[in-house]
Amino acid sequence: MRIAIGADHAGYRLKDEIVPFIQSLGHEIEDVGCNCDQSVDYPDYALPVADLVASGKADRGILICGTGIGMSIAANKVKGIRCALVHDMFSAKATREHNDTNVLAMGERVIGPGVAQEIIRIWLDTPFSNGERHVGRVNKVMQIEAKFADA
């Protein structure tokens, strides 16, 4: 799988720690930055990751900032993106099974590398449960997106 990854200044250390882990699982990484602790704007890194996923140039995306909140908000503005903010293993599995999320957001100031690795492993390994109720719900979300896309 091709994974796009990005972080702001508050998340780049965790990003740099998890990239080798993701590669060890056999995935290819497209790292859009940032690679410093100087203050940057999280939308500048959320957008390239979301664009890569929405365009199909990446299969999934991972975003990291201090809390993951800003990154998830910014990514979810891109048509076709279903980004979930996750800080625990149960949510990592549920968001793939129930919501077919294609972007994962996490906060470096909230979780450490060990928890992040387990969340990522679960999120990457868990398929969407193509059950009728979940497909219908995801389709409703996509209809909302379509309704307001040109507003």
Side-chain angles (χ1 to χ4, degrees):
M1 209 179 312
R2 185 166 172 82
I3 311 297
I5 190 165
D8 70 0
H9 61 282
Y12 88 95
R13 287 180 189 89
L14 181 58
K15 174 184 66 74
D16 289 349
E17 287 189 52
I18 62 173
V19 163
F21 170 74
I22 296 167
Q23 291 170 323
S24 77
L25 297 174
H27 302 291
E28 184 180 341
I29 294 288
E30 173 78 22
D31 187 341
V32 304
C34 100
N35 296 306
C36 68
D37 59 5
Q38 295 174 334
S39 183
V40 297
D41 297 331
Y42 60 82
D44 295 339
Y45 299 92
L47 181 58
V49 168
D51 277 343
L52 286 165
V53 174
S55 70
K57 293 177 182 170
D59 301 298
R60 303 236 189 114
I62 297 174
L63 295 167
I64 306 165
C65 64
T67 62
I69 296 168
M71 288 286 204
S72 64
I73 291 169
N76 278 316
K77 300 299 181 188
V78 176
K79 186 175 183 178
I81 296 303
R82 289 176 307 283
C83 179
L85 172 58
V86 174
H87 291 132
D88 64 87
M89 281 58 101
F90 175 80
S91 298
K93 184 173 180 164
T95 194
R96 281 291 308 136
E97 286 181 340
H98 298 190
N99 311 115
D100 197 20
T101 54
N102 51 13
V103 177
L104 173 68
M106 297 181 292
E108 179 178 316
R109 295 175 179 159
V110 180
I111 59 172
V115 172
Q117 288 177 0
E118 189 61 16
I119 287 168
I120 290 166
R121 187 190 61 72
I122 291 168
W123 186 74
L124 291 173
D125 289 348
T126 302
F128 177 49
S129 173
N130 285 318
E132 186 175 315
R133 67 186 174 140
H134 298 302
V135 171
R137 292 170 183 162
V138 170
N139 286 338
K140 284 184 178 188
V141 170
M142 293 167 60
Q143 289 170 0
I144 293 168
E145 179 182 79
K147 178 180 178 180
F148 292 99
D150 297 325

